[in-house]
mmCIF file of all heavy atoms in Angstrom:
data_model
loop_
_atom_site.group_PDB
_atom_site.id
_atom_site.type_symbol
_atom_site.label_atom_id
_atom_site.label_comp_id
_atom_site.label_asym_id
_atom_site.label_seq_id
_atom_site.Cartn_x
_atom_site.Cartn_y
_atom_site.Cartn_z
ATOM 1 N N ASN H 46 -2.000 12.965 2.179
ATOM 2 C CA ASN H 46 -2.170 12.430 0.863
ATOM 3 C C ASN H 46 -3.660 12.539 0.535
ATOM 4 O O ASN H 46 -4.362 11.514 0.509
ATOM 5 C CB ASN H 46 -1.694 10.934 0.777
ATOM 6 C CG ASN H 46 -1.681 10.458 -0.641
ATOM 7 O OD1 ASN H 46 -2.605 9.857 -1.107
ATOM 8 N ND2 ASN H 46 -0.618 10.760 -1.321
ATOM 9 N N ASP H 59 -5.005 25.257 4.893
ATOM 10 C CA ASP H 59 -4.525 26.534 4.345
ATOM 11 C C ASP H 59 -4.642 27.622 5.305
ATOM 12 O O ASP H 59 -3.872 28.605 5.289
ATOM 13 C CB ASP H 59 -5.356 26.779 3.086
ATOM 14 C CG ASP H 59 -4.615 27.489 2.007
ATOM 15 O OD1 ASP H 59 -3.465 27.057 1.711
ATOM 16 O OD2 ASP H 59 -5.174 28.449 1.501
ATOM 17 N N SER H 141 -13.989 -1.578 9.213
ATOM 18 C CA SER H 141 -13.415 -2.944 9.178
ATOM 19 C C SER H 141 -11.966 -2.914 8.860
ATOM 20 O O SER H 141 -11.170 -3.713 9.348
ATOM 21 C CB SER H 141 -14.159 -3.863 8.166
ATOM 22 O OG SER H 141 -13.770 -5.145 8.163
ATOM 23 N N SER H 310 5.615 -21.258 20.498
ATOM 24 C CA SER H 310 5.715 -19.780 20.307
ATOM 25 C C SER H 310 6.641 -19.166 21.360
ATOM 26 O O SER H 310 7.398 -18.245 21.101
ATOM 27 C CB SER H 310 4.344 -19.149 20.384
ATOM 28 O OG SER H 310 3.502 -19.763 19.404
ATOM 29 N N TYR H 441 9.286 -0.805 -1.171
ATOM 30 C CA TYR H 441 7.910 -0.702 -0.767
ATOM 31 C C TYR H 441 7.395 0.710 -0.695
ATOM 32 O O TYR H 441 6.227 0.986 -1.009
ATOM 33 C CB TYR H 441 7.670 -1.431 0.572
ATOM 34 C CG TYR H 441 7.543 -2.927 0.397
ATOM 35 C CD1 TYR H 441 8.562 -3.672 -0.098
ATOM 36 C CD2 TYR H 441 6.316 -3.604 0.758
ATOM 37 C CE1 TYR H 441 8.444 -5.073 -0.290
ATOM 38 C CE2 TYR H 441 6.229 -4.905 0.561
ATOM 39 C CZ TYR H 441 7.254 -5.686 0.077
ATOM 40 O OH TYR H 441 7.155 -7.097 -0.061
ATOM 41 N N ARG H 451 11.526 17.321 -1.211
ATOM 42 C CA ARG H 451 10.578 18.436 -1.168
ATOM 43 C C ARG H 451 10.775 19.297 0.107
ATOM 44 O O ARG H 451 10.740 20.530 0.093
ATOM 45 C CB ARG H 451 9.164 17.973 -1.273
ATOM 46 C CG ARG H 451 8.082 19.082 -1.256
ATOM 47 C CD ARG H 451 6.802 18.436 -1.445
ATOM 48 N NE ARG H 451 5.625 19.213 -1.540
ATOM 49 C CZ ARG H 451 5.149 19.760 -2.638
ATOM 50 N NH1 ARG H 451 5.762 19.568 -3.829
ATOM 51 N NH2 ARG H 451 4.020 20.444 -2.651
ATOM 52 N N ALA H 485 11.693 -20.984 -7.002
ATOM 53 C CA ALA H 485 11.734 -20.427 -5.610
ATOM 54 C C ALA H 485 12.852 -19.401 -5.484
ATOM 55 O O ALA H 485 12.589 -18.347 -4.889
ATOM 56 C CB ALA H 485 11.995 -21.628 -4.668
ATOM 57 N N GLY H 487 14.065 -17.577 -7.775
ATOM 58 C CA GLY H 487 13.634 -16.381 -8.528
ATOM 59 C C GLY H 487 12.694 -15.501 -7.778
ATOM 60 O O GLY H 487 12.704 -14.221 -7.980
ATOM 61 N N ASN D 38 4.388 -11.925 -3.933
ATOM 62 C CA ASN D 38 5.246 -11.081 -3.095
ATOM 63 C C ASN D 38 5.263 -11.774 -1.713
ATOM 64 O O ASN D 38 4.683 -11.332 -0.775
ATOM 65 C CB ASN D 38 4.620 -9.679 -2.983
ATOM 66 C CG ASN D 38 5.570 -8.736 -2.228
ATOM 67 O OD1 ASN D 38 5.456 -8.550 -1.043
ATOM 68 N ND2 ASN D 38 6.482 -8.150 -2.942
ATOM 69 N N ASP D 51 7.785 -23.952 -6.981
ATOM 70 C CA ASP D 51 9.030 -24.517 -7.638
ATOM 71 C C ASP D 51 8.720 -25.815 -8.329
ATOM 72 O O ASP D 51 9.336 -26.167 -9.344
ATOM 73 C CB ASP D 51 10.107 -24.720 -6.491
ATOM 74 C CG ASP D 51 11.457 -24.474 -7.051
ATOM 75 O OD1 ASP D 51 11.653 -23.454 -7.732
ATOM 76 O OD2 ASP D 51 12.312 -25.299 -6.794
ATOM 77 N N HIS D 120 0.384 -20.629 16.562
ATOM 78 C CA HIS D 120 1.205 -19.447 16.830
ATOM 79 C C HIS D 120 0.376 -18.146 16.995
ATOM 80 O O HIS D 120 0.887 -17.065 17.339
ATOM 81 C CB HIS D 120 2.264 -19.254 15.752
ATOM 82 C CG HIS D 120 3.372 -18.312 16.005
ATOM 83 N ND1 HIS D 120 4.112 -18.367 17.179
ATOM 84 C CD2 HIS D 120 3.905 -17.238 15.343
ATOM 85 C CE1 HIS D 120 5.031 -17.385 17.214
ATOM 86 N NE2 HIS D 120 4.899 -16.700 16.085
ATOM 87 N N ASP D 124 0.258 -13.761 19.484
ATOM 88 C CA ASP D 124 0.179 -12.372 19.040
ATOM 89 C C ASP D 124 1.573 -11.861 18.645
ATOM 90 O O ASP D 124 2.001 -10.790 19.097
ATOM 91 C CB ASP D 124 -0.464 -11.451 20.087
ATOM 92 C CG ASP D 124 -0.900 -10.096 19.493
ATOM 93 O OD1 ASP D 124 -1.097 -10.032 18.268
ATOM 94 O OD2 ASP D 124 -0.858 -9.106 20.222
ATOM 95 N N SER D 133 -10.745 -9.285 9.046
ATOM 96 C CA SER D 133 -11.333 -7.906 9.092
ATOM 97 C C SER D 133 -10.826 -7.050 7.942
ATOM 98 O O SER D 133 -11.517 -6.287 7.367
ATOM 99 C CB SER D 133 -10.995 -7.224 10.430
ATOM 100 O OG SER D 133 -11.623 -6.005 10.571
ATOM 101 N N TYR D 433 1.982 5.735 -7.223
ATOM 102 C CA TYR D 433 1.478 4.880 -6.141
ATOM 103 C C TYR D 433 2.075 3.492 -6.332
ATOM 104 O O TYR D 433 2.259 2.818 -5.284
ATOM 105 C CB TYR D 433 -0.070 4.796 -6.144
ATOM 106 C CG TYR D 433 -0.718 5.947 -5.427
ATOM 107 C CD1 TYR D 433 -0.491 7.210 -5.893
ATOM 108 C CD2 TYR D 433 -1.463 5.761 -4.317
ATOM 109 C CE1 TYR D 433 -1.106 8.324 -5.208
ATOM 110 C CE2 TYR D 433 -2.043 6.822 -3.642
ATOM 111 C CZ TYR D 433 -1.834 8.091 -4.129
ATOM 112 O OH TYR D 433 -2.398 9.160 -3.432
ATOM 113 N N ARG D 443 11.545 -7.194 -15.828
ATOM 114 C CA ARG D 443 11.902 -8.581 -15.434
ATOM 115 C C ARG D 443 11.282 -9.604 -16.409
ATOM 116 O O ARG D 443 11.909 -10.502 -16.837
ATOM 117 C CB ARG D 443 11.456 -8.865 -14.026
ATOM 118 C CG ARG D 443 11.938 -10.224 -13.501
ATOM 119 C CD ARG D 443 11.563 -10.330 -12.110
ATOM 120 N NE ARG D 443 11.833 -11.524 -11.353
ATOM 121 C CZ ARG D 443 12.996 -11.795 -10.749
ATOM 122 N NH1 ARG D 443 13.986 -10.911 -10.793
ATOM 123 N NH2 ARG D 443 13.213 -12.905 -10.043
ATOM 124 N N ALA D 477 -2.838 24.825 0.419
ATOM 125 C CA ALA D 477 -3.774 23.998 -0.274
ATOM 126 C C ALA D 477 -3.195 23.631 -1.664
ATOM 127 O O ALA D 477 -3.215 22.472 -2.079
ATOM 128 C CB ALA D 477 -5.147 24.650 -0.413
ATOM 129 N N GLY D 479 -0.108 23.711 -2.496
ATOM 130 C CA GLY D 479 1.022 22.830 -2.293
ATOM 131 C C GLY D 479 0.703 21.362 -2.154
ATOM 132 O O GLY D 479 1.434 20.481 -2.471
#
Side-chain angles (χ1 to χ4, degrees):
Chain H
N46 189 265
D59 212 48
S141 186
S310 303
Y441 278 62
R451 182 176 181 90
Chain D
N38 187 266
D51 213 48
H120 194 51
D124 193 27
S133 186
Y433 278 62
R443 182 175 181 90

